[in-house]
Amino acid sequence: MCQRLISALATASPLPHSPSKTGVNALSLGEGQGGGKTRAQAVAASPSPTLPRKRGREQSGASGDIADQIRLMFMMSSGGLTAAELFQGKDAILSGPAGGVVAARKLGELVGVGKAISFDMGGTSTDVCLLPAATTRDTLVAGVPVAVPVLDIHTVGAGGGSLARLDAGGALRVGPESAGASPGPACYGRGGTRPTTTDAHLILGRLDPDYFLGGQFRLDRKAAEQAFRDFMTHARDSGSGARFKNSFELARGIIKISNATMERALRVISVERGHDPRDFSLICFGGAGGLHAADLARGLGLRGVIVPREPGAFSALGILCSEIIRDVSESLLVRVPERRAAPFAVFYSTLVRRFERLEARARRELAADGFPSADGSAVSVRSLEVRYVGQSYELSVPFSPNFERRFQGEHERAHGYFHVGRATEIVNLRARLAIPVAQPAMRRTGLKPVKRVPPPKPLRVKPVWFESRLLPTPFFERDSLPAGVIVKGPAVVVEYSATTVVPPDFTCRVDRYLNLRLEASVES
């Protein structure tokens, strides 16, 4: 039945595009700040995609009993699901990466990791998010502020397909330009002629041509080597002064620059926001993440790395774990009274009533959209956006009787200070209603009470470059690694959707959920 359903959805009619009457699609925006001023006005000058406003059999393209049992849902940038007929262009800004963040949050809770950073590296970009993920409305799209609820994800142009180049001064750069899926990296053998991050890993031996995509797609090492030779010849003849001794030196340079780009992104969401990265673990997924995760953990002093099963499809798991969401808000520019018992109690009670009205509205909207369980099972999360009187920016804090104290703490964490006795004001009330959905089960294996599970026989042992050393490195098939096994680096773990590198100063342990747990070796 599952195959029939997927086939029916995949063959449904293509989504039409419909431009607005004015030829542009305006995303709205700002909510009440300073007497009703708008924060920003963003205009997308391209046609806005629309979805068929149909349900059941017509919407899915399915027939018979299957259509009566399904409802097509879409992932939103805010980390929740909505019905296809309600999905809009503004909901899709970061809807893909949002699935991975939801899955990473669930995995962190499952394995007992309270502080984690999700790290999703694919072919063109890397998305990072500090967990538990907050929702923000301060998002830039092509440099334009767009005030729609999205998970607080930071994206950089570093991926497996990122292209190497020389800048005007002759310095080596990597990305943000990407080879894309077509032609892709040179080693794909589809006409790519410029070195990419993926080609660099192949040159260094970290990717094995025989085990890419589970052995179903053989990489072309000769094509990658030719791309590197052409690049070095161009660098020598261009007069830029750039010189590379050999392909290995160029490949190591490409990896170091890619790592530096991603490390800066991780610092943006941790150090620059008042968090010590040494308190966090890296939950790594995406097809290329495992190739870089240990290097990044070492550079930032992270506690360790967690690589889930099927890392290339981890974002899809997040969609299955997502709840049906409705975000509602109310603009409210009002000064917070002093905390004398009577005035503040009246003020707080007024806020409670406003939230209750907001939540009632959201439940009516959900019920009207075909989610009748909103009355009973929907869970509400309330928050306030607060600032000091006179400021032009605000911070989001959970709604509670001590919200001012929470604001002071958030302000100190974000800006390094807070004001004692300075008046504050509330700018917006926000409520998120979530209807729980059935969660996919995470299988756990039983660990036998033994000191150590010996590693299996490797697929092969071959030389791999680590820093400036060429070391004999075993390659293991991930499915052959049982729970409890510990593999000392250097090692490489291959699977269908990803490759994970274990450097010489790291060990890899398989936990009872069959996640790979990479940690710096004690002796290192």
Side-chain angles (χ1 to χ4, degrees):
M1 175 177 174
C2 181
Q3 291 179 338
R4 291 168 56 203
L5 175 57
I6 294 173
S7 176
L9 293 175
T11 56
S13 300
L15 302 181
H17 284 69
S18 174
S20 66
K21 293 181 181 178
T22 61
V24 297
N25 175 39
L27 300 180
S28 110
L29 292 116
E31 296 184 341
Q33 292 190 31
K37 292 181 180 178
T38 58
R39 176 181 305 179
Q41 179 179 6
V43 178
S46 59
S48 174
T50 60
L51 295 177
R53 298 297 193 255
K54 301 177 182 179
R55 296 177 183 267
R57 184 177 293 107
E58 294 181 9
Q59 181 190 65
S60 66
S63 60
D65 295 337
I66 295 179
D68 296 330
Q69 299 174 29
I70 65 171
R71 185 176 187 185
L72 187 60
M73 308 288 285
F74 276 75
M75 187 72 179
M76 297 186 292
S77 305
S78 59
L81 298 172
T82 190
E85 63 270 20
L86 304 174
F87 190 74
Q88 302 177 37
K90 65 180 179 62
D91 299 322
I93 294 171
L94 289 172
S95 57
V101 172
V102 172
R105 181 171 57 199
K106 179 178 176 62
L107 179 60
E109 295 171 352
L110 187 70
V111 299
V113 175
K115 292 186 176 182
I117 298 174
S118 72
F119 172 69
D120 179 4
M121 183 179 181
T124 59
S125 64
T126 294
D127 304 297
V128 295
C129 183
L130 195 77
L131 301 176
T135 303
T136 180
R137 299 178 75 90
D138 296 323
T139 303
L140 292 178
V141 178
V144 178
V146 180
V148 294
V150 300
L151 293 180
D152 194 3
I153 298 171
H154 184 64
T155 301
V156 292
S162 294
L163 291 163
R165 58 184 172 86
L166 297 176
D167 65 14
L172 179 64
R173 304 291 184 189
V174 181
E177 184 184 0
S178 173
S182 179
C187 61
Y188 282 11
R190 295 177 173 173
T193 58
R194 295 171 58 186
T196 67
T197 304
T198 297
D199 296 310
H201 282 295
L202 180 61
I203 293 293
L204 295 174
R206 299 176 180 183
L207 289 176
D208 191 292
D210 294 331
Y211 299 110
F212 192 73
L213 286 181
Q216 297 183 27
F217 184 93
R218 181 175 174 81
L219 297 177
D220 189 342
R221 183 181 177 89
K222 291 184 178 179
E225 291 172 341
Q226 184 62 51
F228 273 62
R229 284 194 295 269
D230 293 344
F231 186 91
M232 291 186 294
T233 299
H234 169 72
R236 184 184 65 245
D237 298 342
S238 64
S240 63
R243 294 289 187 273
F244 303 97
K245 295 179 182 178
N246 49 47
S247 296
F248 302 117
E249 184 181 66
L250 173 57
R252 291 198 301 270
I254 290 173
I255 300 304
K256 286 184 178 179
I257 292 171
S258 297
N259 285 342
T261 299
M262 293 182 286
E263 186 174 321
R264 284 195 297 271
L266 291 168
R267 290 186 182 276
V268 165
I269 64 168
S270 58
V271 177
E272 293 186 14
R273 299 181 185 179
H275 299 281
D276 187 342
R278 293 173 296 183
D279 296 334
F280 290 80
S281 297
L282 196 69
I283 298 180
C284 161
F285 51 99
L291 291 162
H292 297 260
D295 289 338
L296 296 172
R298 182 194 307 110
L300 287 166
L302 297 170
R303 297 174 65 90
V305 176
I306 304 174
V307 185
R309 300 178 64 190
E310 304 294 344
F314 195 60
S315 292
L317 174 64
I319 296 176
L320 291 176
C321 297
S322 298
E323 299 171 318
I324 298 165
I325 293 293
R326 179 59 53 92
D327 289 299
V328 289
S329 62
E330 178 183 347
S331 298
L332 177 70
L333 186 62
V334 59
R335 183 176 294 206
V336 179
E338 295 181 8
R339 296 190 68 90
R340 293 193 303 270
F344 186 83
V346 172
F347 176 77
Y348 187 81
S349 297
T350 301
L351 293 180
V352 171
R353 289 193 296 272
R354 285 180 176 270
F355 271 114
E356 289 172 348
R357 289 197 295 267
L358 267 180
E359 292 162 352
R361 189 187 89 193
R363 286 188 171 90
R364 289 194 301 269
E365 292 175 358
L366 285 167
D369 293 335
F371 301 110
S373 60
D375 289 335
S377 62
V379 178
S380 178
V381 177
R382 301 172 175 178
S383 62
L384 300 170
E385 291 185 352
V386 186
R387 67 188 183 190
Y388 289 117
V389 173
Q391 285 184 330
S392 59
Y393 54 89
E394 60 280 341
L395 294 172
S396 179
V397 295
F399 178 61
S400 67
N402 66 340
F403 69 85
E404 280 189 293
R405 187 180 304 170
R406 293 291 299 270
F407 168 72
Q408 304 280 25
E410 284 297 303
H411 198 282
E412 182 179 24
R413 183 188 60 77
H415 305 293
Y417 69 96
F418 67 92
H419 295 285
V420 178
R422 183 173 175 179
T424 57
E425 60 187 7
I426 296 173
V427 178
N428 291 304
L429 310 182
R430 300 198 185 280
R432 163 171 285 202
L433 266 70
I435 301 176
V437 298
Q439 298 287 305
M442 295 284 195
R443 287 186 296 145
R444 187 175 77 169
T445 63
L447 288 174
K448 296 181 180 180
V450 296
K451 292 183 178 180
R452 177 173 297 182
V453 178
K457 181 180 179 181
L459 293 168
R460 66 174 45 165
V461 177
K462 55 176 284 190
V464 175
W465 283 95
F466 290 96
E467 294 298 331
S468 58
R469 295 181 296 168
L470 194 62
L471 300 176
T473 303
F475 279 62
F476 295 97
E477 185 177 6
R478 180 161 184 174
D479 287 344
S480 71
L481 299 177
V485 71
I486 297 177
V487 176
K488 291 184 176 182
V492 175
V493 181
V494 298
E495 57 186 304
Y496 178 81
S497 66
T499 298
T500 301
V501 172
V502 185
D505 56 336
F506 272 71
T507 59
C508 173
R509 173 177 60 87
V510 181
D511 68 17
R512 59 179 57 196
Y513 291 98
L514 299 182
N515 302 302
L516 303 181
R517 307 290 289 265
L518 277 62
E519 296 178 351
S521 302
V522 175
E523 58 268 22
S524 64

